[in-house]
Amino acid sequence: MQVKETLNDGLKRGYAITLTADELDAKVNEKLVEAQPEVEMKGFRKGKVPMALLKKQFGQRVMGEAMQESIDGAMNEHFEKSGDRPAMQPEVKMTNEDWKEGDDVEVTMSYEALPEIPEVDLSGIKLEKLVVKADDASIDEALSSLAETAQDFKARKKGSKAKDGDQVVMDFVGKVDGEAFEGGSAEDYPLVLGSNSFIPGFEEQLVGVKAEEEKDVTVNFPDDYQAEHLKGKEAVFSCTIKEVKEPVAAEINDELATKFGAEDLAGLKTQIGERLEAEYTGASRAVMKRALLDELDKLVDFDLPPSLLDAEAGQIAHQLWHEENPEVEGHDHPEIEPTDEHKKLAARRVRLGLLLAELGQKAEVEVSDAEMTQAIMNQARQYPGQERQFFEFVQQNQQMQQQLRAPLFEDKVVDHVFEKATVSEKEVSKDDLQAAVEALEEE
């Protein structure tokens, strides 16, 4: 097997690989000898079919496999000897397209090598960790919010008009073309105005109604309504208003605490404090991670594979375009050309991605099977009732597994760097932390 370098320009590499006819023939014979003991053929005992007959019968079929295995072997040997790591899958082409049995096989291989990553003194990195304490005011504020979510309704004074946010208790009968339809009637139905739980336009027409009032509400079913016979149809709902109720926040007491799984109010406050501390810690970590990435970006500079840059810039441009055009859900749109800003951001992401991968490899950072399983289960919860199917899909899909593993690996590498860096704590207010987080989102 001959491997000759044809290109060495920056990170670009090119090689001509020649597999001689004799080498290919030897590989074919090797595979036939390997298979011979299991071959059965009429007139011969199992494993006793002559090699010449085997070659005549199966030689052509085996030749393609032998050719592929030989080329793959040459590529693997090249990467082991050179130490090169391709940025993306190498491009391999057979150049003698008029090849026939007995000829040498000539192949070209081209790729972009990953660059050498410079050493980084992690202990020289200085970071600031923002610390926020869950004080009584924050806990009381969270308690008030919980009380609002557990709100109840009490009857308004007789003759009061319903407002947005009020609950209207009513009987109603819906008709299309003068005929009542299945599922269009109810008694003592509690509807919160503004909840958007009914057909568009329904709730707005009940704003201003009073108890004991009767009112006809006319609406049109949406064209994409799930019931085929009602799509796009006009309906009239005859409503009899029984009560108009205003929302009242639940009282902050032990009874409220039990609704949220705590033994008493003190226990609920403790739970809220722990949850707030966890939220503050997560937000603080995000701020410190961005600061770390900024520091790493200043510390290193090396050549980047153009193929990775182009792919990343294209992905950024595509994602941002869809954020600006949310009405376009598919990919049926004009080609999106990355701007200089997209390319600049892509360079940062690729550089930091390669650096973090190198740091993780040197520190022997690994994502455990248990961590992967937990990540898959967390993702599966987004598909209620289909968790098992999603889990099996991921187990059989290498690309999906990599998408889930990548952020886990990055976070573990970041935690490793945090341990090596010099980190000082700074106690700040909740508002200061929120401002720092918002600053990240604006960048």
Side-chain angles (χ1 to χ4, degrees):
M1 185 87 70
Q2 301 171 11
V3 179
K4 181 181 178 183
E5 186 176 78
T6 58
L7 174 66
N8 191 326
D9 181 15
L11 297 175
K12 294 182 179 179
R13 303 284 187 271
Y15 295 89
I17 301 174
T18 301
L19 173 64
T20 66
D22 289 342
E23 289 172 323
L24 179 58
D25 190 54
K27 185 69 174 177
V28 170
N29 288 334
E30 179 187 318
K31 292 183 74 64
L32 289 173
V33 168
E34 188 180 308
Q36 189 179 30
E38 300 300 321
V39 176
E40 295 184 66
M41 193 176 290
K42 191 174 181 181
F44 299 94
R45 284 182 295 141
K46 181 179 179 181
K48 298 299 181 180
V49 180
M51 185 58 64
L53 193 55
L54 278 177
K55 195 165 188 177
K56 182 178 180 182
Q57 184 78 9
F58 302 109
Q60 288 295 323
R61 188 187 308 173
V62 171
M63 189 168 295
E65 296 177 11
M67 193 182 298
Q68 186 66 54
E69 287 181 13
S70 297
I71 298 300
D72 288 346
M75 289 170 56
N76 291 336
E77 185 179 349
H78 161 73
F79 289 127
E80 286 178 12
K81 285 183 178 179
S82 67
D84 277 357
R85 293 177 296 164
M88 300 183 79
Q89 186 69 23
E91 184 177 352
V92 180
K93 292 181 180 178
M94 188 170 175
T95 54
N96 52 338
E97 296 178 0
D98 56 350
W99 178 87
K100 60 185 182 298
E101 190 173 350
D103 291 348
D104 294 344
V105 178
E106 296 174 1
V107 170
T108 60
M109 174 178 68
S110 59
Y111 61 89
E112 291 171 2
L114 289 175
E116 288 291 326
I117 310 296
E119 291 283 342
V120 178
D121 179 13
L122 301 179
S123 63
I125 297 174
K126 291 181 172 56
L127 299 170
E128 189 175 68
K129 180 180 180 181
L130 304 181
V131 178
V132 179
K133 301 295 184 184
D135 56 18
D136 291 341
S138 298
I139 293 173
D140 289 343
E141 183 182 341
L143 262 177
S144 297
S145 296
L146 280 180
E148 287 181 13
T149 64
Q151 69 179 6
D152 203 349
F153 292 89
K154 70 174 183 180
R156 283 190 178 278
K157 291 180 181 179
K158 189 173 182 179
S160 296
K161 294 182 178 180
K163 300 176 182 178
D164 201 35
D166 282 354
Q167 184 188 77
V168 173
V169 181
M170 62 180 176
D171 298 341
F172 62 85
V173 177
K175 295 181 180 180
V176 171
D177 297 328
E179 295 291 331
F181 58 88
E182 186 178 352
S185 304
E187 294 182 354
D188 296 323
Y189 190 92
L191 174 64
V192 177
L193 304 185
S195 63
N196 297 319
S197 55
F198 267 36
I199 306 164
F202 188 103
E203 295 168 26
E204 292 88 335
Q205 295 181 53
L206 292 178
V207 173
V209 297
K210 296 180 288 187
E212 301 179 6
E213 181 180 342
E214 294 185 355
K215 184 176 179 67
D216 285 347
V217 174
T218 303
V219 292
N220 282 85
F221 283 97
D223 293 333
D224 58 353
Y225 195 68
Q226 61 267 31
E228 190 69 33
H229 66 291
L230 296 175
K231 287 183 178 180
K233 294 288 185 67
E234 182 181 88
V236 177
F237 288 84
S238 299
C239 304
T240 300
I241 311 302
K242 292 186 169 181
E243 286 184 279
V244 173
K245 298 182 175 184
E246 64 179 331
V248 289
E251 288 188 34
I252 298 175
N253 52 25
D254 290 342
E255 185 180 349
L256 173 68
T258 58
K259 289 182 179 179
F260 289 96
E263 290 187 5
D264 52 27
L265 185 57
L268 180 58
K269 285 186 175 183
T270 299
Q271 289 181 12
I272 291 173
E274 291 171 351
R275 177 175 59 79
L276 288 175
E277 293 279 2
E279 289 177 3
Y280 297 152
T281 299
S284 176
R285 185 186 187 281
V287 173
M288 191 163 75
K289 178 181 176 180
R290 173 61 66 85
L292 169 63
L293 296 179
D294 289 344
E295 287 300 308
L296 291 175
D297 196 33
K298 295 174 190 173
L299 287 173
V300 296
D301 189 25
F302 48 85
D303 290 338
L304 302 174
S307 58
L308 291 184
L309 282 175
D310 291 343
E312 186 66 27
Q315 185 176 345
I316 291 170
H318 192 263
Q319 179 182 346
L320 293 177
W321 187 89
H322 273 284
E323 288 178 5
E324 294 169 1
N325 300 271
E327 72 280 359
V328 181
E329 295 183 0
H331 301 288
D332 185 18
H333 52 69
E335 186 175 348
I336 303 162
E337 281 294 326
T339 65
D340 289 342
E341 193 63 30
H342 296 148
K343 294 175 183 177
K344 182 179 177 182
L345 179 56
R348 172 187 163 98
R349 287 188 182 178
V350 171
R351 185 183 304 110
L352 290 172
L354 292 175
L355 176 58
L356 290 174
E358 183 75 5
L359 292 173
Q361 185 178 18
K362 288 182 176 178
E364 299 182 350
V365 172
E366 292 184 355
V367 177
S368 68
D369 290 342
E371 289 168 331
M372 271 298 292
T373 300
Q374 187 61 51
I376 296 171
M377 290 174 66
N378 291 341
Q379 194 81 2
R381 291 193 185 99
Q382 298 181 22
Y383 306 93
Q386 299 179 302
E387 291 90 348
R388 183 180 180 84
Q389 294 93 315
F390 179 83
F391 197 90
E392 291 174 352
F393 166 74
V394 174
Q395 294 286 59
Q396 299 167 10
N397 189 309
Q398 289 291 333
Q399 185 177 1
M400 190 66 180
Q401 289 179 35
Q402 182 55 31
Q403 288 179 6
L404 291 174
R405 181 179 283 107
L408 295 177
F409 177 80
E410 179 177 296
D411 278 342
K412 294 188 78 170
V413 176
V414 167
D415 286 337
H416 165 72
V417 179
F418 283 163
E419 292 175 3
K420 300 293 183 181
T422 302
V423 179
S424 60
E425 293 189 352
K426 179 183 178 181
E427 194 164 330
V428 298
S429 69
K430 180 183 67 174
D431 292 339
D432 290 336
L433 178 58
Q434 181 63 32
V437 171
E438 290 174 356
L440 296 185
E441 295 170 351
E442 291 172 2
E443 292 180 7

